[in-house]
PDB file of all heavy atoms in Angstrom:
ATOM      1  N   VAL A   8      -9.544 -58.768 194.901  1.00  0.00           N
ATOM      2  CA  VAL A   8     -10.029 -57.849 193.883  1.00  0.00           C
ATOM      3  C   VAL A   8     -11.336 -58.343 193.305  1.00  0.00           C
ATOM      4  O   VAL A   8     -12.275 -57.556 193.136  1.00  0.00           O
ATOM      5  CB  VAL A   8      -8.952 -57.674 192.774  1.00  0.00           C
ATOM      6  CG1 VAL A   8      -9.472 -56.803 191.658  1.00  0.00           C
ATOM      7  CG2 VAL A   8      -7.683 -57.099 193.364  1.00  0.00           C
ATOM      8  N   ALA A   9     -11.468 -59.619 193.031  1.00  0.00           N
ATOM      9  CA  ALA A   9     -12.700 -60.167 192.459  1.00  0.00           C
ATOM     10  C   ALA A   9     -13.875 -59.972 193.370  1.00  0.00           C
ATOM     11  O   ALA A   9     -14.956 -59.593 192.943  1.00  0.00           O
ATOM     12  CB  ALA A   9     -12.524 -61.641 192.085  1.00  0.00           C
ATOM     13  N   SER A  10     -13.708 -60.217 194.671  1.00  0.00           N
ATOM     14  CA  SER A  10     -14.842 -60.067 195.567  1.00  0.00           C
ATOM     15  C   SER A  10     -15.192 -58.600 195.736  1.00  0.00           C
ATOM     16  O   SER A  10     -16.359 -58.242 195.880  1.00  0.00           O
ATOM     17  CB  SER A  10     -14.585 -60.748 196.921  1.00  0.00           C
ATOM     18  OG  SER A  10     -13.495 -60.118 197.569  1.00  0.00           O
ATOM     19  N   GLY A  11     -14.187 -57.720 195.750  1.00  0.00           N
ATOM     20  CA  GLY A  11     -14.468 -56.282 195.842  1.00  0.00           C
ATOM     21  C   GLY A  11     -15.178 -55.768 194.614  1.00  0.00           C
ATOM     22  O   GLY A  11     -16.112 -54.970 194.701  1.00  0.00           O
ATOM     23  N   ILE A  12     -14.769 -56.214 193.443  1.00  0.00           N
ATOM     24  CA  ILE A  12     -15.424 -55.842 192.177  1.00  0.00           C
ATOM     25  C   ILE A  12     -16.803 -56.504 192.110  1.00  0.00           C
ATOM     26  O   ILE A  12     -17.721 -55.933 191.564  1.00  0.00           O
ATOM     27  CB  ILE A  12     -14.540 -56.210 190.984  1.00  0.00           C
ATOM     28  CG1 ILE A  12     -13.283 -55.367 190.945  1.00  0.00           C
ATOM     29  CG2 ILE A  12     -15.301 -56.048 189.677  1.00  0.00           C
ATOM     30  CD1 ILE A  12     -12.289 -55.791 189.905  1.00  0.00           C
ATOM     31  N   GLY A  13     -16.917 -57.702 192.655  1.00  0.00           N
ATOM     32  CA  GLY A  13     -18.161 -58.452 192.526  1.00  0.00           C
ATOM     33  C   GLY A  13     -19.387 -57.696 192.992  1.00  0.00           C
ATOM     34  O   GLY A  13     -20.396 -57.669 192.311  1.00  0.00           O
ATOM     35  N   HIS A  14     -19.302 -57.010 194.127  1.00  0.00           N
ATOM     36  CA  HIS A  14     -20.457 -56.262 194.604  1.00  0.00           C
ATOM     37  C   HIS A  14     -20.706 -55.037 193.730  1.00  0.00           C
ATOM     38  O   HIS A  14     -21.841 -54.725 193.371  1.00  0.00           O
ATOM     39  CB  HIS A  14     -20.233 -55.844 196.065  1.00  0.00           C
ATOM     40  CG  HIS A  14     -21.394 -55.117 196.642  1.00  0.00           C
ATOM     41  ND1 HIS A  14     -22.605 -55.705 196.851  1.00  0.00           N
ATOM     42  CD2 HIS A  14     -21.543 -53.797 197.010  1.00  0.00           C
ATOM     43  CE1 HIS A  14     -23.460 -54.814 197.356  1.00  0.00           C
ATOM     44  NE2 HIS A  14     -22.822 -53.651 197.456  1.00  0.00           N
ATOM     45  N   ALA A  15     -19.652 -54.304 193.402  1.00  0.00           N
ATOM     46  CA  ALA A  15     -19.799 -53.125 192.548  1.00  0.00           C
ATOM     47  C   ALA A  15     -20.173 -53.478 191.121  1.00  0.00           C
ATOM     48  O   ALA A  15     -20.837 -52.708 190.434  1.00  0.00           O
ATOM     49  CB  ALA A  15     -18.500 -52.306 192.550  1.00  0.00           C
ATOM     50  N   ALA A  16     -19.780 -54.670 190.674  1.00  0.00           N
ATOM     51  CA  ALA A  16     -20.047 -55.090 189.296  1.00  0.00           C
ATOM     52  C   ALA A  16     -21.531 -55.106 189.009  1.00  0.00           C
ATOM     53  O   ALA A  16     -21.969 -54.743 187.909  1.00  0.00           O
ATOM     54  CB  ALA A  16     -19.442 -56.461 189.024  1.00  0.00           C
ATOM     55  N   ARG A  17     -22.320 -55.534 189.975  1.00  0.00           N
ATOM     56  CA  ARG A  17     -23.771 -55.587 189.789  1.00  0.00           C
ATOM     57  C   ARG A  17     -24.314 -54.183 189.487  1.00  0.00           C
ATOM     58  O   ARG A  17     -25.107 -54.007 188.588  1.00  0.00           O
ATOM     59  CB  ARG A  17     -24.427 -56.167 191.028  1.00  0.00           C
ATOM     60  CG  ARG A  17     -25.932 -56.224 190.920  1.00  0.00           C
ATOM     61  CD  ARG A  17     -26.539 -56.892 192.090  1.00  0.00           C
ATOM     62  NE  ARG A  17     -26.245 -56.120 193.293  1.00  0.00           N
ATOM     63  CZ  ARG A  17     -26.950 -56.154 194.389  1.00  0.00           C
ATOM     64  NH1 ARG A  17     -27.990 -56.954 194.469  1.00  0.00           N
ATOM     65  NH2 ARG A  17     -26.647 -55.435 195.427  1.00  0.00           N
ATOM     66  N   TRP A  18     -23.829 -53.196 190.237  1.00  0.00           N
ATOM     67  CA  TRP A  18     -24.314 -51.824 190.041  1.00  0.00           C
ATOM     68  C   TRP A  18     -23.801 -51.223 188.755  1.00  0.00           C
ATOM     69  O   TRP A  18     -24.554 -50.516 188.052  1.00  0.00           O
ATOM     70  CB  TRP A  18     -23.900 -50.965 191.238  1.00  0.00           C
ATOM     71  CG  TRP A  18     -24.598 -51.416 192.486  1.00  0.00           C
ATOM     72  CD1 TRP A  18     -24.047 -52.154 193.514  1.00  0.00           C
ATOM     73  CD2 TRP A  18     -25.967 -51.229 192.828  1.00  0.00           C
ATOM     74  NE1 TRP A  18     -24.997 -52.421 194.459  1.00  0.00           N
ATOM     75  CE2 TRP A  18     -26.189 -51.853 194.078  1.00  0.00           C
ATOM     76  CE3 TRP A  18     -27.013 -50.579 192.193  1.00  0.00           C
ATOM     77  CZ2 TRP A  18     -27.441 -51.833 194.689  1.00  0.00           C
ATOM     78  CZ3 TRP A  18     -28.264 -50.566 192.832  1.00  0.00           C
ATOM     79  CH2 TRP A  18     -28.455 -51.196 194.062  1.00  0.00           C
ATOM     80  N   ILE A  19     -22.545 -51.467 188.420  1.00  0.00           N
ATOM     81  CA  ILE A  19     -21.977 -50.947 187.180  1.00  0.00           C
ATOM     82  C   ILE A  19     -22.702 -51.559 185.987  1.00  0.00           C
ATOM     83  O   ILE A  19     -23.121 -50.849 185.072  1.00  0.00           O
ATOM     84  CB  ILE A  19     -20.457 -51.236 187.114  1.00  0.00           C
ATOM     85  CG1 ILE A  19     -19.734 -50.459 188.207  1.00  0.00           C
ATOM     86  CG2 ILE A  19     -19.906 -50.883 185.723  1.00  0.00           C
ATOM     87  CD1 ILE A  19     -18.289 -50.901 188.420  1.00  0.00           C
ATOM     88  N   GLY A  20     -22.826 -52.881 185.993  1.00  0.00           N
ATOM     89  CA  GLY A  20     -23.523 -53.558 184.901  1.00  0.00           C
ATOM     90  C   GLY A  20     -24.951 -53.096 184.753  1.00  0.00           C
ATOM     91  O   GLY A  20     -25.433 -52.852 183.654  1.00  0.00           O
ATOM     92  N   ALA A  21     -25.646 -52.941 185.886  1.00  0.00           N
ATOM     93  CA  ALA A  21     -27.033 -52.474 185.841  1.00  0.00           C
ATOM     94  C   ALA A  21     -27.138 -51.070 185.253  1.00  0.00           C
ATOM     95  O   ALA A  21     -27.993 -50.806 184.389  1.00  0.00           O
ATOM     96  CB  ALA A  21     -27.627 -52.506 187.243  1.00  0.00           C
ATOM     97  N   GLY A  22     -26.230 -50.187 185.672  1.00  0.00           N
ATOM     98  CA  GLY A  22     -26.240 -48.820 185.156  1.00  0.00           C
ATOM     99  C   GLY A  22     -25.979 -48.762 183.658  1.00  0.00           C
ATOM    100  O   GLY A  22     -26.667 -48.013 182.923  1.00  0.00           O
ATOM    101  N   VAL A  23     -25.042 -49.547 183.204  1.00  0.00           N
ATOM    102  CA  VAL A  23     -24.735 -49.588 181.758  1.00  0.00           C
ATOM    103  C   VAL A  23     -25.922 -50.108 180.974  1.00  0.00           C
ATOM    104  O   VAL A  23     -26.272 -49.540 179.931  1.00  0.00           O
ATOM    105  CB  VAL A  23     -23.437 -50.410 181.503  1.00  0.00           C
ATOM    106  CG1 VAL A  23     -23.247 -50.661 180.010  1.00  0.00           C
ATOM    107  CG2 VAL A  23     -22.238 -49.728 182.086  1.00  0.00           C
ATOM    108  N   LEU A  24     -26.542 -51.189 181.424  1.00  0.00           N
ATOM    109  CA  LEU A  24     -27.703 -51.745 180.698  1.00  0.00           C
ATOM    110  C   LEU A  24     -28.864 -50.767 180.694  1.00  0.00           C
ATOM    111  O   LEU A  24     -29.555 -50.634 179.678  1.00  0.00           O
ATOM    112  CB  LEU A  24     -28.117 -53.072 181.309  1.00  0.00           C
ATOM    113  CG  LEU A  24     -27.203 -54.241 181.015  1.00  0.00           C
ATOM    114  CD1 LEU A  24     -27.697 -55.492 181.723  1.00  0.00           C
ATOM    115  CD2 LEU A  24     -27.129 -54.502 179.520  1.00  0.00           C
ATOM    116  N   ILE A  25     -29.109 -50.110 181.797  1.00  0.00           N
ATOM    117  CA  ILE A  25     -30.196 -49.127 181.853  1.00  0.00           C
ATOM    118  C   ILE A  25     -29.916 -48.011 180.863  1.00  0.00           C
ATOM    119  O   ILE A  25     -30.808 -47.570 180.115  1.00  0.00           O
ATOM    120  CB  ILE A  25     -30.386 -48.598 183.291  1.00  0.00           C
ATOM    121  CG1 ILE A  25     -30.982 -49.691 184.177  1.00  0.00           C
ATOM    122  CG2 ILE A  25     -31.289 -47.353 183.298  1.00  0.00           C
ATOM    123  CD1 ILE A  25     -30.957 -49.389 185.667  1.00  0.00           C
ATOM    124  N   ALA A  26     -28.667 -47.524 180.835  1.00  0.00           N
ATOM    125  CA  ALA A  26     -28.307 -46.463 179.879  1.00  0.00           C
ATOM    126  C   ALA A  26     -28.495 -46.891 178.444  1.00  0.00           C
ATOM    127  O   ALA A  26     -29.047 -46.154 177.605  1.00  0.00           O
ATOM    128  CB  ALA A  26     -26.875 -46.013 180.134  1.00  0.00           C
ATOM    129  N   ILE A  27     -28.066 -48.120 178.106  1.00  0.00           N
ATOM    130  CA  ILE A  27     -28.214 -48.627 176.740  1.00  0.00           C
ATOM    131  C   ILE A  27     -29.708 -48.750 176.405  1.00  0.00           C
ATOM    132  O   ILE A  27     -30.117 -48.399 175.304  1.00  0.00           O
ATOM    133  CB  ILE A  27     -27.492 -49.977 176.592  1.00  0.00           C
ATOM    134  CG1 ILE A  27     -25.970 -49.750 176.611  1.00  0.00           C
ATOM    135  CG2 ILE A  27     -27.896 -50.662 175.266  1.00  0.00           C
ATOM    136  CD1 ILE A  27     -25.173 -51.041 176.669  1.00  0.00           C
ATOM    137  N   GLY A  28     -30.496 -49.244 177.339  1.00  0.00           N
ATOM    138  CA  GLY A  28     -31.931 -49.369 177.115  1.00  0.00           C
ATOM    139  C   GLY A  28     -32.592 -48.036 176.874  1.00  0.00           C
ATOM    140  O   GLY A  28     -33.421 -47.884 175.970  1.00  0.00           O
ATOM    141  N   VAL A  29     -32.232 -47.020 177.676  1.00  0.00           N
ATOM    142  CA  VAL A  29     -32.803 -45.680 177.510  1.00  0.00           C
ATOM    143  C   VAL A  29     -32.422 -45.113 176.159  1.00  0.00           C
ATOM    144  O   VAL A  29     -33.285 -44.550 175.426  1.00  0.00           O
ATOM    145  CB  VAL A  29     -32.382 -44.755 178.679  1.00  0.00           C
ATOM    146  CG1 VAL A  29     -32.709 -43.303 178.379  1.00  0.00           C
ATOM    147  CG2 VAL A  29     -33.032 -45.202 179.982  1.00  0.00           C
ATOM    148  N   VAL A  30     -31.154 -45.233 175.784  1.00  0.00           N
ATOM    149  CA  VAL A  30     -30.723 -44.741 174.481  1.00  0.00           C
ATOM    150  C   VAL A  30     -31.472 -45.442 173.342  1.00  0.00           C
ATOM    151  O   VAL A  30     -31.895 -44.821 172.376  1.00  0.00           O
ATOM    152  CB  VAL A  30     -29.175 -44.906 174.311  1.00  0.00           C
ATOM    153  CG1 VAL A  30     -28.747 -44.702 172.879  1.00  0.00           C
ATOM    154  CG2 VAL A  30     -28.450 -43.939 175.237  1.00  0.00           C
ATOM    155  N   THR A  31     -31.665 -46.752 173.466  1.00  0.00           N
ATOM    156  CA  THR A  31     -32.395 -47.519 172.451  1.00  0.00           C
ATOM    157  C   THR A  31     -33.841 -47.018 172.325  1.00  0.00           C
ATOM    158  O   THR A  31     -34.338 -46.827 171.217  1.00  0.00           O
ATOM    159  CB  THR A  31     -32.375 -49.020 172.803  1.00  0.00           C
ATOM    160  OG1 THR A  31     -31.023 -49.462 172.825  1.00  0.00           O
ATOM    161  CG2 THR A  31     -33.163 -49.833 171.760  1.00  0.00           C
ATOM    162  N   VAL A  32     -34.490 -46.805 173.451  1.00  0.00           N
ATOM    163  CA  VAL A  32     -35.881 -46.306 173.423  1.00  0.00           C
ATOM    164  C   VAL A  32     -35.919 -44.930 172.776  1.00  0.00           C
ATOM    165  O   VAL A  32     -36.775 -44.684 171.912  1.00  0.00           O
ATOM    166  CB  VAL A  32     -36.465 -46.256 174.849  1.00  0.00           C
ATOM    167  CG1 VAL A  32     -37.784 -45.493 174.883  1.00  0.00           C
ATOM    168  CG2 VAL A  32     -36.675 -47.651 175.384  1.00  0.00           C
ATOM    169  N   ILE A  33     -35.029 -44.049 173.149  1.00  0.00           N
ATOM    170  CA  ILE A  33     -35.020 -42.693 172.586  1.00  0.00           C
ATOM    171  C   ILE A  33     -34.771 -42.717 171.078  1.00  0.00           C
ATOM    172  O   ILE A  33     -35.454 -42.069 170.315  1.00  0.00           O
ATOM    173  CB  ILE A  33     -34.002 -41.794 173.313  1.00  0.00           C
ATOM    174  CG1 ILE A  33     -34.465 -41.540 174.745  1.00  0.00           C
ATOM    175  CG2 ILE A  33     -33.753 -40.497 172.562  1.00  0.00           C
ATOM    176  CD1 ILE A  33     -33.413 -40.889 175.638  1.00  0.00           C
ATOM    177  N   GLN A  34     -33.783 -43.536 170.661  1.00  0.00           N
ATOM    178  CA  GLN A  34     -33.486 -43.614 169.243  1.00  0.00           C
ATOM    179  C   GLN A  34     -34.644 -44.203 168.466  1.00  0.00           C
ATOM    180  O   GLN A  34     -34.961 -43.737 167.363  1.00  0.00           O
ATOM    181  CB  GLN A  34     -32.214 -44.445 168.995  1.00  0.00           C
ATOM    182  CG  GLN A  34     -30.955 -43.703 169.374  1.00  0.00           C
ATOM    183  CD  GLN A  34     -29.708 -44.539 169.176  1.00  0.00           C
ATOM    184  OE1 GLN A  34     -29.757 -45.747 169.035  1.00  0.00           O
ATOM    185  NE2 GLN A  34     -28.561 -43.883 169.166  1.00  0.00           N
ATOM    186  N   ALA A  35     -35.282 -45.240 169.001  1.00  0.00           N
ATOM    187  CA  ALA A  35     -36.423 -45.839 168.322  1.00  0.00           C
ATOM    188  C   ALA A  35     -37.603 -44.849 168.257  1.00  0.00           C
ATOM    189  O   ALA A  35     -38.325 -44.812 167.257  1.00  0.00           O
ATOM    190  CB  ALA A  35     -36.860 -47.111 169.050  1.00  0.00           C
ATOM    191  N   TRP A  36     -37.777 -44.062 169.283  1.00  0.00           N
ATOM    192  CA  TRP A  36     -38.841 -43.093 169.333  1.00  0.00           C
ATOM    193  C   TRP A  36     -38.655 -42.008 168.264  1.00  0.00           C
ATOM    194  O   TRP A  36     -39.622 -41.556 167.644  1.00  0.00           O
ATOM    195  CB  TRP A  36     -38.878 -42.434 170.713  1.00  0.00           C
ATOM    196  CG  TRP A  36     -40.121 -41.651 170.977  1.00  0.00           C
ATOM    197  CD1 TRP A  36     -40.377 -40.331 170.639  1.00  0.00           C
ATOM    198  CD2 TRP A  36     -41.317 -42.139 171.563  1.00  0.00           C
ATOM    199  NE1 TRP A  36     -41.611 -39.982 171.024  1.00  0.00           N
ATOM    200  CE2 TRP A  36     -42.225 -41.074 171.605  1.00  0.00           C
ATOM    201  CE3 TRP A  36     -41.681 -43.355 172.109  1.00  0.00           C
ATOM    202  CZ2 TRP A  36     -43.491 -41.193 172.149  1.00  0.00           C
ATOM    203  CZ3 TRP A  36     -42.946 -43.468 172.661  1.00  0.00           C
ATOM    204  CH2 TRP A  36     -43.842 -42.394 172.668  1.00  0.00           C
ATOM    205  N   ARG A  37     -37.407 -41.655 167.996  1.00  0.00           N
ATOM    206  CA  ARG A  37     -37.091 -40.579 167.050  1.00  0.00           C
ATOM    207  C   ARG A  37     -37.071 -41.058 165.602  1.00  0.00           C
ATOM    208  O   ARG A  37     -37.102 -40.225 164.689  1.00  0.00           O
ATOM    209  CB  ARG A  37     -35.732 -39.976 167.379  1.00  0.00           C
ATOM    210  CG  ARG A  37     -35.751 -39.185 168.657  1.00  0.00           C
ATOM    211  CD  ARG A  37     -34.391 -38.586 168.901  1.00  0.00           C
ATOM    212  NE  ARG A  37     -34.414 -37.762 170.108  1.00  0.00           N
ATOM    213  CZ  ARG A  37     -33.344 -37.254 170.642  1.00  0.00           C
ATOM    214  NH1 ARG A  37     -32.161 -37.427 170.105  1.00  0.00           N
ATOM    215  NH2 ARG A  37     -33.438 -36.509 171.716  1.00  0.00           N
ATOM    216  N   GLN A  38     -36.986 -42.363 165.378  1.00  0.00           N
ATOM    217  CA  GLN A  38     -36.894 -42.875 164.006  1.00  0.00           C
ATOM    218  C   GLN A  38     -38.240 -42.700 163.275  1.00  0.00           C
ATOM    219  O   GLN A  38     -39.278 -42.957 163.840  1.00  0.00           O
ATOM    220  CB  GLN A  38     -36.537 -44.347 163.970  1.00  0.00           C
ATOM    221  CG  GLN A  38     -35.103 -44.611 164.372  1.00  0.00           C
ATOM    222  CD  GLN A  38     -34.781 -46.103 164.365  1.00  0.00           C
ATOM    223  OE1 GLN A  38     -35.674 -46.938 164.330  1.00  0.00           O
ATOM    224  NE2 GLN A  38     -33.514 -46.418 164.402  1.00  0.00           N
ATOM    225  N   PRO A  39     -38.156 -42.351 161.990  1.00  0.00           N
ATOM    226  CA  PRO A  39     -39.378 -42.293 161.186  1.00  0.00           C
ATOM    227  C   PRO A  39     -39.979 -43.703 161.075  1.00  0.00           C
ATOM    228  O   PRO A  39     -39.290 -44.699 161.162  1.00  0.00           O
ATOM    229  CB  PRO A  39     -38.909 -41.806 159.815  1.00  0.00           C
ATOM    230  CG  PRO A  39     -37.503 -41.363 159.977  1.00  0.00           C
ATOM    231  CD  PRO A  39     -36.976 -41.961 161.238  1.00  0.00           C
ATOM    232  N   ALA A  40     -41.276 -43.758 160.855  1.00  0.00           N
ATOM    233  CA  ALA A  40     -42.002 -45.034 160.799  1.00  0.00           C
ATOM    234  C   ALA A  40     -41.423 -45.973 159.748  1.00  0.00           C
ATOM    235  O   ALA A  40     -41.352 -47.176 159.956  1.00  0.00           O
ATOM    236  CB  ALA A  40     -43.483 -44.793 160.529  1.00  0.00           C
ATOM    237  N   GLU A  41     -41.011 -45.451 158.594  1.00  0.00           N
ATOM    238  CA  GLU A  41     -40.501 -46.339 157.538  1.00  0.00           C
ATOM    239  C   GLU A  41     -39.202 -47.035 157.931  1.00  0.00           C
ATOM    240  O   GLU A  41     -38.923 -48.151 157.494  1.00  0.00           O
ATOM    241  CB  GLU A  41     -40.318 -45.612 156.205  1.00  0.00           C
ATOM    242  CG  GLU A  41     -39.240 -44.561 156.186  1.00  0.00           C
ATOM    243  CD  GLU A  41     -39.745 -43.188 156.640  1.00  0.00           C
ATOM    244  OE1 GLU A  41     -40.908 -43.053 157.003  1.00  0.00           O
ATOM    245  OE2 GLU A  41     -38.926 -42.244 156.659  1.00  0.00           O
ATOM    246  N   VAL A  42     -38.404 -46.413 158.815  1.00  0.00           N
ATOM    247  CA  VAL A  42     -37.174 -47.058 159.248  1.00  0.00           C
ATOM    248  C   VAL A  42     -37.500 -48.191 160.206  1.00  0.00           C
ATOM    249  O   VAL A  42     -36.952 -49.298 160.123  1.00  0.00           O
ATOM    250  CB  VAL A  42     -36.236 -46.019 159.946  1.00  0.00           C
ATOM    251  CG1 VAL A  42     -35.030 -46.702 160.563  1.00  0.00           C
ATOM    252  CG2 VAL A  42     -35.784 -44.992 158.907  1.00  0.00           C
ATOM    253  N   VAL A  43     -38.403 -47.957 161.140  1.00  0.00           N
ATOM    254  CA  VAL A  43     -38.755 -48.974 162.142  1.00  0.00           C
ATOM    255  C   VAL A  43     -39.510 -50.138 161.489  1.00  0.00           C
ATOM    256  O   VAL A  43     -39.365 -51.292 161.868  1.00  0.00           O
ATOM    257  CB  VAL A  43     -39.612 -48.344 163.271  1.00  0.00           C
ATOM    258  CG1 VAL A  43     -40.055 -49.379 164.258  1.00  0.00           C
ATOM    259  CG2 VAL A  43     -38.824 -47.257 163.966  1.00  0.00           C
ATOM    260  N   CYS A  44     -40.326 -49.849 160.475  1.00  0.00           N
ATOM    261  CA  CYS A  44     -41.154 -50.887 159.868  1.00  0.00           C
ATOM    262  C   CYS A  44     -40.429 -51.693 158.819  1.00  0.00           C
ATOM    263  O   CYS A  44     -41.051 -52.516 158.134  1.00  0.00           O
ATOM    264  CB  CYS A  44     -42.424 -50.275 159.269  1.00  0.00           C
ATOM    265  SG  CYS A  44     -43.506 -49.615 160.521  1.00  0.00           S
ATOM    266  N   GLY A  45     -39.149 -51.460 158.616  1.00  0.00           N
ATOM    267  CA  GLY A  45     -38.380 -52.345 157.741  1.00  0.00           C
ATOM    268  C   GLY A  45     -38.060 -51.785 156.382  1.00  0.00           C
ATOM    269  O   GLY A  45     -37.452 -52.459 155.569  1.00  0.00           O
ATOM    270  N   THR A  46     -38.433 -50.564 156.079  1.00  0.00           N
ATOM    271  CA  THR A  46     -38.068 -49.988 154.795  1.00  0.00           C
ATOM    272  C   THR A  46     -36.968 -48.946 154.984  1.00  0.00           C
ATOM    273  O   THR A  46     -37.008 -47.875 154.444  1.00  0.00           O
ATOM    274  CB  THR A  46     -39.312 -49.325 154.126  1.00  0.00           C
ATOM    275  OG1 THR A  46     -39.840 -48.364 155.041  1.00  0.00           O
ATOM    276  CG2 THR A  46     -40.352 -50.355 153.774  1.00  0.00           C
ATOM    277  N   ARG A  47     -35.992 -49.333 155.778  1.00  0.00           N
ATOM    278  CA  ARG A  47     -34.889 -48.481 156.140  1.00  0.00           C
ATOM    279  C   ARG A  47     -34.067 -48.093 154.885  1.00  0.00           C
ATOM    280  O   ARG A  47     -33.806 -48.929 154.040  1.00  0.00           O
ATOM    281  CB  ARG A  47     -33.989 -49.272 157.106  1.00  0.00           C
ATOM    282  CG  ARG A  47     -32.728 -48.636 157.542  1.00  0.00           C
ATOM    283  CD  ARG A  47     -31.941 -49.547 158.490  1.00  0.00           C
ATOM    284  NE  ARG A  47     -32.712 -50.489 159.248  1.00  0.00           N
ATOM    285  CZ  ARG A  47     -33.377 -50.172 160.353  1.00  0.00           C
ATOM    286  NH1 ARG A  47     -33.338 -48.970 160.824  1.00  0.00           N
ATOM    287  NH2 ARG A  47     -34.051 -51.096 160.979  1.00  0.00           N
ATOM    288  N   PRO A  48     -33.648 -46.818 154.802  1.00  0.00           N
ATOM    289  CA  PRO A  48     -32.789 -46.437 153.696  1.00  0.00           C
ATOM    290  C   PRO A  48     -31.477 -47.220 153.681  1.00  0.00           C
ATOM    291  O   PRO A  48     -30.975 -47.587 154.739  1.00  0.00           O
ATOM    292  CB  PRO A  48     -32.511 -44.939 153.962  1.00  0.00           C
ATOM    293  CG  PRO A  48     -33.563 -44.493 154.915  1.00  0.00           C
ATOM    294  CD  PRO A  48     -33.952 -45.724 155.689  1.00  0.00           C
ATOM    295  N   PRO A  49     -30.929 -47.523 152.503  1.00  0.00           N
ATOM    296  CA  PRO A  49     -29.689 -48.285 152.425  1.00  0.00           C
ATOM    297  C   PRO A  49     -28.557 -47.581 153.200  1.00  0.00           C
ATOM    298  O   PRO A  49     -28.473 -46.366 153.210  1.00  0.00           O
ATOM    299  CB  PRO A  49     -29.370 -48.319 150.942  1.00  0.00           C
ATOM    300  CG  PRO A  49     -30.608 -47.892 150.231  1.00  0.00           C
ATOM    301  CD  PRO A  49     -31.431 -47.138 151.200  1.00  0.00           C
ATOM    302  N   GLY A  50     -27.724 -48.395 153.805  1.00  0.00           N
ATOM    303  CA  GLY A  50     -26.560 -47.865 154.513  1.00  0.00           C
ATOM    304  C   GLY A  50     -26.864 -47.406 155.931  1.00  0.00           C
ATOM    305  O   GLY A  50     -25.965 -46.997 156.654  1.00  0.00           O
ATOM    306  N   ARG A  51     -28.091 -47.469 156.351  1.00  0.00           N
ATOM    307  CA  ARG A  51     -28.456 -47.030 157.702  1.00  0.00           C
ATOM    308  C   ARG A  51     -28.516 -48.290 158.581  1.00  0.00           C
ATOM    309  O   ARG A  51     -29.354 -49.143 158.396  1.00  0.00           O
ATOM    310  CB  ARG A  51     -29.795 -46.332 157.665  1.00  0.00           C
ATOM    311  CG  ARG A  51     -30.135 -45.738 158.975  1.00  0.00           C
ATOM    312  CD  ARG A  51     -30.726 -44.368 158.802  1.00  0.00           C
ATOM    313  NE  ARG A  51     -30.964 -43.868 160.142  1.00  0.00           N
ATOM    314  CZ  ARG A  51     -32.013 -43.164 160.466  1.00  0.00           C
ATOM    315  NH1 ARG A  51     -32.892 -42.826 159.552  1.00  0.00           N
ATOM    316  NH2 ARG A  51     -32.180 -42.754 161.684  1.00  0.00           N
TER     317      ARG A  51
END
């Protein structure tokens, strides 16, 4: 099982990281400047 998962694990892990990275870029792109620059509203 470990060797079978081992080859697929690289692709699964890569896909998940790429998706997280894309979501992070999109969310950062949509944030107003004051949130990104450190004057984020409380509770956010």
Side-chain angles (χ1 to χ4, degrees):
V8 176
S10 63
I12 292 173
H14 182 67
R17 179 176 62 157
W18 294 103
I19 295 167
V23 170
L24 286 177
I25 290 169
I27 290 171
V29 168
V30 167
T31 299
V32 168
I33 291 169
Q34 286 178 344
W36 193 273
R37 291 181 177 172
Q38 288 179 345
E41 66 273 1
V42 173
V43 177
C44 292
T46 57
R47 176 181 332 280
R51 187 137 182 218

